[in-house]
Amino acid sequence: MSQINPYFSQIPQSYLFSEIAHRVAKHAAARPDQKIIRMGIGDVTRPLCAPVIQALEKASRDQGEAVSFHGYGPEQGYPFLRQAIQNYYRSLGAEVDAEDIFISDGAKSDLANLPELFSLDCPALITDPVYPVYRDSNLMVGRRVEYLDAVRENQFLPLPDSSQKAGIIYLCSPANPTGAAYTRQQLQQWVDYALEQDAVILYDAAYEAFIQEDLPRSIYTIPGAEKCAIEICSLSKTAGFTGMRCGYTVVPRALVREGHSLHDMWLRRQSTKMNGVAYPIQRAAEAVFSPEGLAACRENIALYQSNAACMARTLDQLGIWYCGGKNSPYVWMECPGGMGSWEFFDKLLDATGVVGTPGEGFGKNGEGYFRLSAFAAPDQVQLAMELLRNWLTKGD
Ligand code: PLP
């Protein structure tokens, strides 16, 4: 007789964004006349840039010729891509060895799978609110999850409490959903704490490319991080790769726990359970890091940043509290009139057709807040802000 994993009953029945999609589909069926403006799920809308498409086309043609055909690739990813990423890290002020870089099919799977390197007795410390993958993937396998309050009083950037024991620590900066980003001095506190506790930080840098202020874009710009941190990054938001699937994870060889190299363990795990990322995708990813690729991606990011600025201006005019938007594509706003976050979701959708993400979906501290994503087309963002303003000021 098969027995199902009992821990599935501990997680919400559907993934947050599936629930949103379900409610939006229901609404759209009932109101076919109303245009839906999607500012909920953080999916990009700008197409891939020309250097990426050229590399993708060429690599696809390579696959059609015996002389240039590529079958299974190297376990950690092709050296050409790992070298390009090492150079990129250098431009961010971080020294990362290409040997320590693992190419992945995106950040989500690595964020969910990395805890396999640790005993189930080792709890995961995560912030609340948080990107739900950290929480659900750990609960799903029966790992204990402990929460750290991210609230307005600490600018949604909780710091370590030296009286609290930690094993695995998830940090995300700039954070999803709040858009808050740690300073160098705050990240140093986390690194010092992890070293003191022999804990390991899983540092999600998926939104590093959105940082505009003088803030760290990699945890490896912080002294000591190579001995206590794994960094997970993605081309999804940096280069519009949500539908391409490519990211990278750095597991430094200097990271050793109980005499075991986490780098070697991760290589063992990945080579057992994964067969790498497609050759054309890795060539396309390499093109992201070329001077032309980086410049084109910056243009797209600048466009999303101007969307975020438009949202921030509207909320300023409406006198609504918010954070984020500056170093992040997300604006984290307080729901007006003391509304609950699902209540605001439903009312906003009903009145304007605008879809956002209810803060409660990211954890209990998200109740009363709402996340707007800046990834929509500029005219859609402007329209959404106009509709929001009209609705809230005129009661339309
Ligand atoms: N990490 C954070 C904080 C995210 O918000 C997302 C996607 O929205 C991811 C990781 C997933 O990225 P990927 O598309 O590379 O799996």
Side-chain angles (χ1 to χ4, degrees):
M1 189 183 86
S2 63
Q3 287 185 308
I4 59 146
N5 176 347
Y7 298 111
F8 267 64
S9 59
Q10 295 191 8
I11 58 172
Q13 242 186 1
S14 74
Y15 185 55
L16 171 63
F17 296 103
S18 314
E19 172 62 24
I20 291 173
H22 172 72
R23 288 196 191 205
V24 173
K26 207 168 134 198
H27 174 82
R31 296 274 306 275
D33 55 303
Q34 193 185 44
K35 195 170 166 346
I36 301 289
I37 304 178
R38 293 177 199 278
M39 297 170 76
I41 189 163
D43 199 357
V44 294
T45 51
R46 296 289 305 146
L48 295 167
C49 64
V52 165
I53 292 300
Q54 282 153 15
L56 192 59
E57 282 172 351
K58 176 174 182 316
S60 304
R61 279 193 302 273
D62 285 350
Q63 292 299 74
E65 303 286 340
V67 285
S68 51
F69 170 75
H70 289 73
Y72 289 125
E75 288 158 330
Q76 276 183 242
Y78 284 97
F80 61 75
L81 178 54
R82 287 155 59 209
Q83 189 56 54
I85 294 169
Q86 174 179 331
N87 296 343
Y88 178 67
Y89 266 114
R90 189 160 292 151
S91 75
L92 303 184
E95 276 310 317
V96 166
D97 197 318
E99 281 296 304
D100 291 344
I101 298 169
F102 292 75
I103 305 305
S104 70
D105 66 349
K108 190 182 195 177
S109 39
D110 280 8
L111 286 159
N113 294 329
L114 277 159
E116 282 183 29
L117 303 187
F118 304 91
S119 156
L120 269 185
D121 296 334
C122 183
L125 183 62
I126 66 176
T127 62
D128 175 338
V130 78
Y131 177 51
V133 172
Y134 312 160
R135 180 194 63 209
D136 293 355
S137 62
N138 279 283
L139 290 177
M140 221 177 239
V141 294
R143 186 183 303 282
R144 201 169 80 248
V145 171
E146 290 170 3
Y147 298 93
L148 208 54
D149 287 327
V151 288
R152 208 189 291 192
E153 291 66 38
N154 58 22
Q155 286 82 49
F156 291 98
L157 291 168
L159 288 170
D161 168 358
S162 53
S163 65
Q164 188 172 15
K165 291 259 163 286
I168 311 166
I169 304 162
Y170 278 94
L171 293 180
C172 183
S173 181
N176 178 8
T178 63
Y182 282 112
T183 63
R184 200 157 273 118
Q185 189 247 343
Q186 289 170 324
L187 266 194
Q188 186 72 63
Q189 284 186 51
W190 274 112
V191 166
D192 292 346
Y193 168 76
L195 289 170
E196 193 183 288
Q197 298 264 333
D198 251 350
V200 173
I201 296 172
L202 302 183
Y203 188 76
D204 184 348
Y207 297 99
E208 60 81 15
F210 287 80
I211 291 179
Q212 300 191 61
E213 292 173 316
D214 181 23
L215 297 167
R217 288 176 57 178
S218 163
I219 197 161
Y220 300 120
T221 57
I222 308 297
E226 72 287 355
K227 292 201 172 71
C228 67
I230 293 173
E231 181 160 298
I232 300 93
C233 204
S234 167
L235 294 185
S236 284
K237 312 300 158 79
T238 306
F241 266 49
T242 51
M244 296 276 279
R245 310 307 308 143
C246 194
Y248 48 95
T249 290
V250 181
V251 190
R253 277 158 299 164
L255 182 51
V256 174
R257 288 292 179 275
E258 298 182 273
H260 293 277
S261 155
L262 295 194
H263 176 279
D264 292 351
M265 289 173 70
W266 185 240
L267 178 61
R268 183 74 178 85
R269 190 267 175 213
Q270 289 298 80
S271 48
T272 303
K273 298 196 178 186
M274 192 202 181
N275 258 336
V277 176
Y279 170 73
I281 300 289
Q282 293 199 51
R283 279 293 182 197
E286 180 193 25
V288 168
F289 297 103
S290 66
E292 303 74 29
L294 287 171
C297 290
R298 272 252 59 84
E299 266 180 43
N300 285 339
I301 289 172
L303 185 133
Y304 297 136
Q305 283 166 333
S306 70
N307 284 345
C310 165
M311 282 148 44
R313 265 194 316 275
T314 306
L315 296 178
D316 280 336
Q317 285 159 4
L318 289 167
I320 294 173
W321 185 92
Y322 68 92
C323 66
K326 180 83 186 157
N327 300 299
S328 152
Y330 298 123
V331 171
W332 181 246
M333 61 179 280
E334 186 173 39
C335 298
M339 271 187 257
S341 52
W342 277 110
E343 181 189 4
F344 182 60
F345 172 91
D346 287 331
K347 288 193 170 152
L348 179 68
L349 178 60
D350 194 51
T352 65
V354 173
V355 181
T357 312
E360 203 188 328
F362 299 101
K364 73 170 171 38
N365 291 328
E367 175 55 310
Y369 292 91
F370 200 71
R371 191 194 77 175
L372 289 174
S373 144
F375 288 120
D379 62 329
Q380 294 299 291
V381 172
Q382 280 152 24
L383 177 62
M385 290 304 104
E386 211 174 292
L387 290 165
L388 176 73
R389 193 181 297 113
N390 287 346
W391 175 48
L392 290 177
T393 54
K394 299 184 192 145
D396 289 358

